[in-house]
Each structure stands twice: as structure tokens, then as C-alpha cells.
Amino acid sequence: MVKGVGALDAPPRVRKPVTLSAPLWQLPAVALTPEQEAVALHASREIGPVHGMIGLRAPREDSLPMALLHIPPTEHKPFQILVTAGMSARAMPVPDDVEDEAEHIELVLGLPPDWPVEDASPEKAWPLQLLARLARFPSEAEAWLCPGHTIPNGNPPHPYASDTQLSCALIAPPLTLLPEAKTLAGPQGEVQLLAVVPVFEREVELKVEKGSDELFSRLDEHGVTEILDPHRRAVAGGTLFDLLDEKAVKTNES
């Protein structure tokens, strides 16, 4: 079980909301920072060609420059990947008694191949908004992220969109990346790529009750990765929850 797992089971306290700049996907009009350039080059080399980027508006004058990189599906990777670029420029305040956790990270989130990344509707834009908020979280809240941490969407958690019951974000080791893609050498030192897995509130409750290892085990058993499936069934809960999930799946399929 990861040390300090319970430290982030509270809503992120970002002083201003994170918004996305328009047009949505574009090549940068200005030079990338050295940290962003290192991430972009690594992603292009080890994950897939970077198709474009979103520049994230800074909530404060001293906020780090950040962006989301978009990697479209390829023959060997039949899904889209979003990668943050810039959050690794500042070391996270990892507690001294926590060993083997990275101080510099970037986050990845996968999307189905047909997910419309330029659709600004709430039902389609929420994965991008989620990744943007999490990218700002460590530097704005002076916090840290590692595998096993969970961040709810509000208190109490509420679904990210009207067509899904997913309401929390789990930080996890990326399962869809090759080993050589999971770390990179940046100007600030080694950078670790971690995955964002949207989860149900009752899956977080399972983690709190039985530990993050139990949750990771169940997610793995059911084939849940960082590739988003907004209509998947929960890996925790009783018969009533299963019936509600089944009803939600049938409703979305009709």
C-alpha cells in the first residue's frame, strides 16, 4: 500500500478555475519552456506523434506555463492520449518520510479513438478539464500526487458529466505505456509519467476500507486502465449498485 494515500481525499483547492484556451487544439505560437519541450519530444519519440496542444490559462501571474498535448491513435496504439506538459517544472513537496516517489511528474489520460476532443460540450470536454485541473493541483495547492491518491470531483463527489457516474480521479501507474515511455530526463531531473483513471465514489470507499492495493487489483482484474470508459461498471459495490450500473449502461446504449 502506498504511503500517504489518504492525504488527498479532499477536493483540490485551486484559487481560480482552470479554463481551456481557444482555439482548442493548436501548435504553440510561442516557444515552449525547456520542461515542456522535453515532455513533447519524449512523447513524440516514445508514445506517438504530437498532433497539437492546448495552452492552459494561468490562474495567477506566477503560475507555471502548462499545456495538454494530444497524441492521436496510431496503428499500434488504437486510442488517443493526452499528456500534460509543464507541471514537472516545479518539484512537488513529497514528505521526507515517503520513499521512492517522484518529485517531478506529468500526467497521462487515454481516450477512445472516436472521442471528439474538439467537442466543448460538458459530456465530451470533461476529461480535458479534469486533466487541466490536476495539472495545476500540485503547484497551486502546494500538494503532491503519487499512485494511490484519489481526488474527488467536489465534496461530496458528483459525476463529471450527465452521462457517467464516474466522480473521482485515481492516480495510477500507466498500463498502456511501454517501460521506456514512463520516465524521461528533463532539465530539472527525472520526470515520471503517471496515469489518471476516473473512478466511482464507491471504488474510492473500497480503497479507504481495504487499501489502494485492493483497488488496483480489482481494476486490473476487470481490465480497467487509463483509457477512459465513461460507461464502465464499478469494480466495487453490492447488488443494488450492479443493477444501477446495468440500467445506466442500457440507457447509454439505447
Side-chain angles (χ1 to χ4, degrees):
M1 182 174 176
V2 180
K3 296 181 180 179
V5 162
L8 295 182
D9 292 329
R13 296 181 179 178
V14 180
R15 300 181 184 179
K16 295 182 181 180
V18 177
T19 55
L20 302 178
S21 60
L24 193 55
W25 294 109
Q26 59 185 351
L27 293 176
V30 297
L32 297 175
T33 66
E35 293 82 6
Q36 290 176 314
E37 184 176 5
V39 175
L41 290 174
H42 174 81
S44 296
R45 182 174 60 249
E46 302 294 348
I47 303 176
V50 175
H51 177 261
M53 67 169 284
I54 301 175
L56 302 184
R57 291 182 181 139
R60 303 200 312 254
E61 289 186 1
D62 60 345
S63 294
L64 293 173
M66 293 191 191
L68 302 184
L69 307 178
H70 176 229
I71 301 172
T74 65
E75 180 180 356
H76 304 291
K77 181 184 58 59
F79 47 83
Q80 305 177 75
I81 290 185
L82 305 175
V83 185
T84 65
M87 64 182 297
S88 61
R90 186 173 298 165
M92 298 184 298
V94 179
D96 294 336
D97 60 345
V98 176
E99 300 178 355
D100 302 324
E101 296 299 345
E103 293 184 340
H104 301 275
I105 66 168
E106 299 288 350
L107 299 174
V108 300
L109 173 64
L111 295 174
D114 58 349
W115 191 278
V117 294
E118 297 198 24
D119 190 335
S121 67
E123 290 74 23
K124 300 303 179 184
W126 70 263
L128 286 72
Q129 295 282 5
L130 170 62
L131 199 58
R133 288 196 300 270
L134 293 178
R136 289 282 181 207
F137 178 47
S139 59
E140 298 296 330
E142 298 183 357
W144 62 292
L145 295 171
C146 78
H149 281 171
T150 47
I151 304 91
N153 187 37
N155 187 17
H158 57 273
Y160 290 114
S162 61
D163 60 349
T164 184
Q165 291 301 306
L166 299 169
S167 62
C168 303
L170 169 70
I171 305 301
L175 298 179
T176 62
L177 300 184
L178 295 174
E180 55 268 26
K182 297 179 181 180
T183 59
L184 67 111
Q188 70 282 50
E190 183 176 277
V191 178
Q192 185 175 9
L193 297 186
L194 296 178
V196 175
V197 181
V199 295
F200 296 87
E201 181 181 4
R202 59 186 176 276
E203 291 174 337
V204 175
E205 292 171 349
L206 171 69
K207 186 206 78 169
V208 173
E209 179 182 351
K210 297 187 176 181
S212 58
D213 288 345
E214 176 66 19
L215 176 56
F216 282 133
S217 177
R218 292 201 192 185
L219 292 172
D220 183 63
E221 180 182 348
H222 289 79
V224 178
T225 70
E226 63 268 23
I227 308 304
L228 175 64
D229 179 359
H231 309 309
R232 71 173 178 87
R233 294 177 179 174
V235 302
T239 304
L240 176 60
F241 287 131
D242 293 338
L243 290 174
L244 291 174
D245 286 340
E246 183 176 355
K247 182 179 179 180
V249 169
K250 289 182 178 179
T251 299
N252 285 299
E253 289 178 347
S254 62

